[in-house]
Amino acid sequence: MSAIQAQDPTVYEILRGEMKRQSEGLEMIPSENYVSPAVLEAMGSIFTNKYSEGYPEKRYYGGQHFVDQIENLAIDRAKKLFNAEHVNVQPYSGSPANSAVYFALLNYKDTVMGLKLDQGGHITHGLPISFSGKFYNFVPYFVDKDTQRIDMAEVRRIALECKPKLLVAGYTAYPRDIDWAGFKAICDEVGAIAMADISHTAGLIAGKQLKNPFDFGFDVVTTTTHKTMRGPRSAIIMCKEKYAKAIDKAVFPGLQGGPHDHTTCAKAICFGEALKPEFQAYAAQIIKNSKTLAEELNKLGWKLVTGGTDNHLLLADMTPFGIKGMEAEDALDFAGITLNKNTVPYDPRGPFDPSGIRFGTPAATTRGLKEPEMRKVATWMNKVVRNHTDKELLAGVKEEIKQMCLKFPVPGISL
Ligand SMILES: *Cc1c(COP(=O)(O)O)cnc(C)c1O
């Protein structure tokens, strides 16, 4: 950062603070990760200077020789990684990607099904004040009250009743694997387009640890590239060839102008990394770590949503400890563990003051933490939530966490 340091000391100091925070604390927000130095370089590359509205070989500006090469490379790698017929790598992020799919395939007020938001759906899956909830008629499906898993019989019953034009599966806070075959069968029965939003689990699917919705005949798959994929903050849309034209037109010129070519470059690098065997080992370790965490927390008497996890994330109800999600988040933050408060299924409290917390292992696994460290993390988390007002104890845990974290450097950061 020598140029920033020389030119703008104010910004430099802020960046240094964030570097220190990322290095010394334990990042357990399940949607975050640490990208490789190569991805960081691509995001700071000279592709940021370019404008390239349109698609490879069909642009509205000159000088596209190398941009076309990088965009085609990103597309080819994504196709291979997810076994996709068609890929659009231009969406700016996950929410614009989902918006583009709806804009391409639905009409105003068409009926769509998605998981109820406070049970794990994303805001783009029908939040009433979002674009999705305002322009489309979202009908929610639910998890079962006892098992806390998606109730497929209920999904089918609701689908037969409301006849959705499109059904969204794939979530933001659901710790279990998804029954892609079951969802596709329901879509076929009611004539709905099957859409998977794998924003959270794409890295686990690319890393061959979870099943790929395309293998079950899904029509459209969207994903962010910055969560378990461990790439730049962005997204892609993948689909069957028959939806390709509509999707491409909806992204540009339907919703976006020029693509962010430096991010496309970083996506090409991210997909290149994910095609390597090391990435499969990484994805496997993410799950081993989250399962270890679940096992230890269960031993310590925690109440985990669904009792455990199949993927990278866990949800825990804080009610048995007599505290709220927010209090747990604050105490853990004070002790150097970053995660977020979250609703649990059928939460009696609201989304701004929910009963639970959500956390996961993708970032910690990138740093090299494995099962022995996860056992320590479980012990620390348990100590903190059970003694959340004891500042001295929290400070002690913070120091222990810092000492462990400094042994596992963050890629791309040297303090
Ligand atoms: C994160 C996420 C998104 C949106 O991604 P942004 O890049 O934050 O817009 C969409 N869908 C799901 C399921 C997500 O988890």
Side-chain angles (χ1 to χ4, degrees):
M1 298 198 296
S2 52
I4 298 177
Q5 185 177 18
Q7 180 181 318
D8 196 329
T10 312
V11 169
Y12 180 75
E13 279 314 307
I14 296 171
L15 272 166
R16 286 287 301 184
E18 177 63 12
M19 279 167 88
K20 196 160 153 1
R21 188 194 71 81
Q22 290 192 14
S23 293
E24 294 179 356
L26 190 60
E27 186 49 72
M28 300 205 74
I29 295 176
S31 49
E32 291 192 13
N33 215 327
Y34 305 109
V35 300
S36 69
V39 168
L40 281 177
E41 276 182 13
M43 287 303 281
S45 74
I46 38 81
F47 273 123
T48 203
N49 297 337
K50 191 70 196 104
Y51 235 115
S52 49
E53 285 179 344
Y55 289 101
E57 292 91 45
K58 288 171 288 225
R59 305 279 187 186
Y60 291 82
Y61 296 85
Q64 307 294 347
H65 183 69
F66 297 104
V67 166
D68 281 3
Q69 283 183 19
I70 203 69
E71 187 164 335
N72 281 327
L73 184 64
I75 290 168
D76 288 344
R77 287 180 176 176
K79 277 186 178 170
K80 201 161 156 200
L81 202 50
F82 291 98
N83 196 18
E85 288 178 19
H86 178 79
V87 179
N88 186 309
V89 296
Q90 293 195 4
Y92 297 143
S93 209
S95 304
N98 286 349
S99 305
V101 173
Y102 304 155
F103 192 50
L105 306 179
L106 302 172
N107 292 311
Y108 185 64
K109 294 294 177 189
D110 271 348
T111 297
V112 189
M113 277 177 66
L115 179 63
K116 195 166 188 306
L117 299 197
D118 59 9
Q119 299 186 359
H122 187 254
I123 50 174
T124 56
H125 302 175
L127 181 73
I129 58 164
S130 93
F131 155 88
S132 61
K134 285 200 162 179
F135 287 19
Y136 307 104
N137 172 37
F138 264 86
V139 177
Y141 55 89
F142 307 91
V143 299
D144 179 83
K145 259 198 176 125
D146 296 322
T147 65
Q148 301 180 309
R149 295 178 187 233
I150 291 164
D151 185 342
M152 294 304 287
E154 259 304 275
V155 174
R156 178 169 177 268
R157 190 192 60 75
I158 298 166
L160 285 167
E161 195 177 285
C162 77
K163 294 266 186 288
K165 187 158 176 191
L166 183 146
L167 184 149
V168 188
Y171 317 104
T172 232
Y174 188 67
R176 295 296 178 175
D177 202 5
I178 297 165
D179 179 6
W180 302 121
F183 273 111
K184 182 64 168 77
I186 293 167
C187 287
D188 287 348
E189 193 176 356
V190 302
I193 296 168
M195 169 178 171
D197 175 353
I198 58 168
S199 289
H200 257 266
T201 51
L204 305 176
I205 293 169
K208 307 227 182 303
Q209 304 303 310
L210 292 181
K211 292 187 181 110
N212 182 346
F214 278 132
D215 292 342
F216 300 88
F218 267 64
D219 300 293
V220 184
V221 179
T222 58
T223 182
T224 58
T225 49
H226 49 275
K227 298 180 182 177
T228 49
M229 274 307 293
R230 205 164 65 182
R233 308 201 70 79
S234 195
I236 59 173
I237 302 171
M238 301 174 275
C239 64
K240 287 187 179 162
E241 197 56 51
K242 69 170 173 175
Y243 299 113
K245 262 207 179 115
I247 299 263
D248 285 353
K249 259 174 67 185
V251 173
F252 173 85
L255 287 168
Q256 297 187 171
H260 296 176
D261 298 320
H262 59 304
T263 313
T264 305
C265 175
K267 279 186 258 197
I269 288 174
C270 155
F271 301 149
E273 290 174 356
L275 282 164
K276 291 189 181 146
E278 297 93 284
F279 196 81
Q280 290 179 26
Y282 166 62
Q285 190 64 47
I286 290 177
I287 298 179
K288 278 187 220 160
N289 283 352
S290 63
K291 282 186 189 282
T292 303
L293 203 50
E295 204 176 291
E296 292 302 308
L297 291 172
N298 276 330
K299 277 189 215 156
L300 294 165
W302 281 45
K303 190 175 165 194
L304 299 176
V305 170
T306 74
T309 181
D310 296 327
N311 56 29
H312 62 301
L313 75 80
L314 301 93
L315 288 159
D317 191 346
M318 293 291 104
T319 317
F321 304 123
I323 63 172
K324 304 187 281 184
M326 193 158 30
E327 289 165 320
E329 179 189 299
D330 286 347
L332 286 158
D333 199 28
F334 188 88
I337 295 179
T338 314
L339 46 64
N340 62 277
K341 62 178 188 284
N342 212 96
T343 46
V344 296
Y346 302 98
D347 201 324
R349 316 185 65 90
F352 295 107
D353 187 19
S355 301
I357 53 174
R358 183 187 75 147
F359 48 101
T361 55
T365 306
T366 293
R367 279 180 101 145
L369 274 65
K370 292 201 166 77
E371 290 89 331
E373 288 79 29
M374 286 301 125
R375 287 184 203 107
K376 280 194 215 156
V377 170
T379 312
W380 285 322
M381 289 178 74
N382 185 56
K383 241 184 177 173
V384 168
V385 300
R386 287 180 190 269
N387 303 278
H388 75 286
T389 52
D390 185 342
K391 288 273 146 63
E392 211 170 305
L393 179 139
L394 301 190
V397 171
K398 187 187 175 97
E399 187 54 34
E400 286 176 34
I401 288 175
K402 179 176 158 186
Q403 290 316 318
M404 181 193 72
C405 283
L406 292 176
K407 288 189 206 133
F408 296 92
V410 174
I413 297 185
S414 49
L415 284 172

